[in-house]
Amino acid sequence: MTIRVISREAILAERRAAVLAGTRPPVEHAEWPVATVQELVTSSDISAADFVQNKVEIDVAEGRADNPTLFEPIYQVRRDPNFPELVPTNIANPRWGIMFFDHQEGAEIHFGTLAKGQKGNVPIREAAAGIQYTQRMLDFNYLSQIEDENLEFGRAWNAMLNHKAFGPLLTFTYPAANTTAADATTGVSYLERVRNTLRAAQRHAKMATDANGAARPRAWSFLLVNSTDTADIRDALALRNGPNLNPLPSVDDFAIIAYDGWSTELNYGAVTKRFSYPGVTAKTCYGIRPRQGFVMLEKLDLAFARGDADLSRLIAQQIVGRGLHGFLADVAANVERITLPAS
């Protein structure tokens, strides 16, 4: 059984391997115009507006590549600059019913219908942050400081998107119908109990029902975990035999997404504040049926606007990045919370 781990470290390792193999350029966003890149390389005036604007976009793109988003295998992404502030759920995540029937000559065709579903709206939220370059940074050509700030801006943007995508799964109050407890079988090893727990969670999700008792299986194919648990899960799935060398029952294939959250510090002069996005708690994981109940609505991806200088503080350049997104997550119908054995 081959288990793929999707994490920041795994994605970056894949990219490095591709660069070494010659199948991928070292720069993630290699589509930048040659003339723009040449201008950045040969320019001696880093205070020029064009230089600052172009360099911001390239550095931020590199920062985003350094902290990749992890939710794409789970979420459908719908891009439309015309999304309203509140997007009805039948537009955000339409559910169509279509059935093919044997056609008799002259008979009417059965057309697909849009399921009524639960009415609601997905709000489009605006996220924004700013970066600024002091006159001192420009006077003394502190190009490295500018690069560091730009790179961190890109990392923070992707961290925010990961948080908005995974946050609903981590904060949802799971009923017993969506919960699998840790296996407590005596006489077997810790890794066997991990394996038994995951197998029980797969079976429990397949047998799920709705409030009316109708079958609503939510077989999951992705497991959201804390990175500290990935090795134990992989080792548990690698087991082939149990006590007395008896073959162990099989476990369905799935991919692992390791998400540990993100944190940073903002310096407000005399006060430093730490901000963080919580990650998955160790020994807890989430089996996810992807796509059907998870949608990201993108009205505007990260875009930049340059503001006037603030001479009273000797700020030479101010740049604001903003974007507009909405996230729909039907956790109850698509996620199983799983508690792994403690030891």
Side-chain angles (χ1 to χ4, degrees), residues 187 203 280:
R203 180 177 175 81
V280 180

Side-chain angles (χ1 to χ4, degrees), residues 17-342:
V19 170
L20 293 175
T23 58
R24 183 188 187 95
V27 178
E28 166 77 1
H29 294 266
E31 70 274 11
W32 295 101
V34 173
T36 300
V37 177
Q38 289 176 341
E39 177 186 348
L40 293 177
V41 171
T42 60
S43 176
S44 60
D45 181 11
I46 69 170
S47 64
D50 288 343
F51 176 93
V52 172
Q53 183 74 13
N54 291 334
K55 182 155 185 60
V56 164
E57 295 188 10
I58 291 178
D59 289 344
V60 168
E62 288 304 297
R64 296 184 69 175
D66 186 58
N67 185 32
T69 52
L70 306 174
F71 60 83
E72 284 85 352
I74 305 299
Y75 278 78
Q76 297 183 62
V77 179
R78 301 184 185 277
R79 296 180 172 89
D80 188 344
N82 299 310
F83 278 138
E85 187 173 2
L86 295 175
V87 182
T89 51
N90 67 329
I91 295 176
N93 189 31
R95 299 293 180 87
W96 288 90
I98 297 178
M99 185 71 180
F100 284 88
F101 297 92
D102 290 338
H103 183 254
Q104 302 297 324
E105 186 175 1
E108 184 179 355
I109 297 295
H110 292 264
F111 289 88
T113 61
L114 183 63
K116 294 180 180 180
Q118 192 172 13
K119 293 183 179 180
N121 293 298
V122 180
I124 300 293
R125 305 293 191 188
E126 183 173 33
I131 51 180
Q132 58 187 15
Y133 308 134
T134 65
Q135 190 61 49
R136 180 181 178 83
M137 293 167 68
L138 302 182
D139 288 343
F140 292 95
N141 247 27
Y142 286 157
L143 186 60
S144 61
Q145 286 189 2
I146 292 176
E147 288 178 349
D148 291 341
E149 189 173 13
N150 295 345
L151 289 169
E152 192 61 23
F153 195 91
R155 297 186 189 107
W157 176 261
N158 276 7
M160 179 271 297
L161 292 179
N162 279 330
H163 170 67
K164 287 191 173 184
F166 294 130
L169 283 73
L170 305 183
T171 58
F172 183 73
T173 300
Y174 288 85
N178 292 67
T179 303
T180 299
D183 181 79
T185 304
T186 59
V188 299
S189 67
Y190 162 68
L191 291 181
E192 288 178 79
R193 290 197 298 276
V194 171
R195 183 187 179 96
N196 291 343
T197 300
L198 296 174
R199 191 168 187 272
Q202 290 179 337
R203 180 177 175 81
H204 188 245
K206 290 177 182 178
M207 299 176 65
T209 59
D210 62 14
N212 299 318
R216 290 289 185 272
R218 53 172 185 272
W220 48 269
S221 54
F222 287 89
L223 192 67
L224 184 66
V225 306
N226 183 285
S227 62
T228 59
D229 293 322
T230 56
D232 287 349
I233 293 172
R234 296 178 74 173
D235 289 345
L237 297 175
L239 294 176
R240 292 292 178 266
N241 299 301
N244 302 319
L245 299 180
N246 293 324
L248 293 172
S250 62
V251 179
D252 293 341
D253 290 344
F254 60 84
I256 294 174
I257 300 177
Y259 177 63
D260 297 337
W262 185 83
S263 63
T264 191
E265 290 184 351
L266 296 185
N267 184 0
Y268 297 101
V271 178
T272 298
K273 292 186 178 181
R274 187 170 186 82
F275 298 87
S276 62
Y277 299 135
V280 180
T281 303
K283 299 301 179 182
T284 299
C285 49
Y286 302 87
I288 306 168
R289 180 175 65 171
R291 312 287 288 175
Q292 296 186 34
F294 299 96
V295 182
M296 182 183 86
L297 306 177
E298 182 178 280
K299 182 177 177 71
L300 175 68
D301 193 17
L302 180 59
F304 301 95
R306 186 171 63 246
D308 296 333
D310 184 353
L311 296 181
S312 66
R313 297 186 297 127
L314 286 180
I315 302 299
Q317 293 282 344
Q318 289 185 329
I319 294 179
V320 169
R322 58 184 288 267
L324 297 162
H325 294 86
F327 286 83
L328 182 152
D330 187 357
V331 179
N334 297 285
V335 182
E336 180 88 4
R337 188 186 67 183
I338 306 160
T339 302
L340 296 177

